[in-house]
Amino acid sequence: MIFFIDTAEIEEIKELYNWGIIDGVTTNPSLIAKSGGDQKKIITEIAQIVDGPISAEVIATDYEGMIKEGAELSKIHQNVVIKVPMTVDGLKATYWFNKNKIRTNVTLVFSANQALLAAKNGASYISPFIGRLDDIGQTGMELIKEIKIMFDHYQYSTKILAASIRSTQHAKDVALAGCDVATMPPKIIKQLIKHPLTDIGLEKFLADYKNSL
Ligand code: E4P
C-alpha cells in the first residue's frame, strides 16, 4: 500500500520522510491554514523534500476558478496533484484537468456513487473520508469496501486514497480492504510502529546480553 502523510507541517514531513515509508503528501485548506496559510510557499517547500505526489487543494468553488487555480498550482512542481471537491464544478474541472494531463485528487467523497462519477471523469485519486463518516454514526470502512468492489468491476486507473484516517485500526482495515493509498496524520503513522511487546522484548534481549558479559 502506498503511504501519504496528511499534513502541511514541514518539520513533520521531513522527519517521517527520512524513515523511508512515505510516498507522498496530502494537504487541505485547513492544514495549510494551520501551517501559516501560504499555500504556494508550503507546497514548494514540500516538493523540495518529498519525491512523490503532493496534493494541493483549490479554494475556488466554481469551474473557471478551479481551472485557473489548479493550473497555477500544477506549475509549482510536476509532482503536484490538484485536489478538487466532489461537486458538479469539481467533476467538470476533473474532466478538464484529465484532458490537460494534470493529475487530480477528488476529495470529500462520502458515497460510492460519488467515487464512481469522479473515476468516470478521470480522477487520478478519489479520497473517501472514513473518520468523518464515523463521526456522524456511519461506518466509513463500509464505504471503502463498496468503492473497492465497484472499481474492481471496471478498468478505472483511479486510485482509492483512504482519507480521514483517525486510528491504527482504520489503517489496518484499509490495507486489508486492498486500498491503493492511505493518507495518515503523522501521529497515526508513528502509532503504527509501536507495540509494547517490542519494547519489552528488546529490553529483555539487551539485559540478557549484558548479564552474560
Ligand atoms: C486528506 O486528504 C483529508 O483532507 C484528511 O484526511 C481529512 O482528515 P480529517 O477528517 O481528520 O480532517
Side-chain angles (χ1 to χ4, degrees), residues 84-87 90-91 94-95 104-129 133 140 142-152 154-163 179-180:
V84 297
M86 179 59 221
T87 59
L91 263 186
T94 299
Y95 188 75
T104 50
N105 172 1
V106 176
T107 189
L108 295 167
V109 167
F110 292 99
S111 79
N113 285 333
Q114 289 180 325
L116 182 64
L117 294 177
K120 281 186 73 68
N121 270 15
S124 315
Y125 302 90
I126 48 109
S127 288
F129 278 34
L133 278 170
E142 287 306 315
L143 171 61
I144 298 286
K145 288 176 192 163
E146 282 180 3
I147 297 171
K148 176 74 181 137
I149 292 168
M150 203 179 246
F151 280 20
D152 281 350
Y154 306 101
Q155 272 75 50
Y156 296 125
S157 56
T158 306
K159 292 196 183 324
I160 305 171
L161 195 175
C179 263
D180 302 296

Side-chain angles (χ1 to χ4, degrees), residues 6 26 28 83 127 129 132 163-164 166 183:
D6 196 27
T26 52
N28 64 37
K83 214 170 171 190
S127 288
F129 278 34
R132 292 192 194 189
S164 190
R166 305 269 180 76
T183 189

Side-chain angles (χ1 to χ4, degrees), residues 66-85:
M66 286 182 193
I67 299 298
K68 190 167 173 281
E69 216 182 300
E72 278 304 310
L73 287 168
S74 74
K75 283 183 202 151
I76 297 176
H77 194 278
Q78 59 186 10
N79 284 340
V80 172
V81 174
I82 306 305
K83 214 170 171 190
V84 297

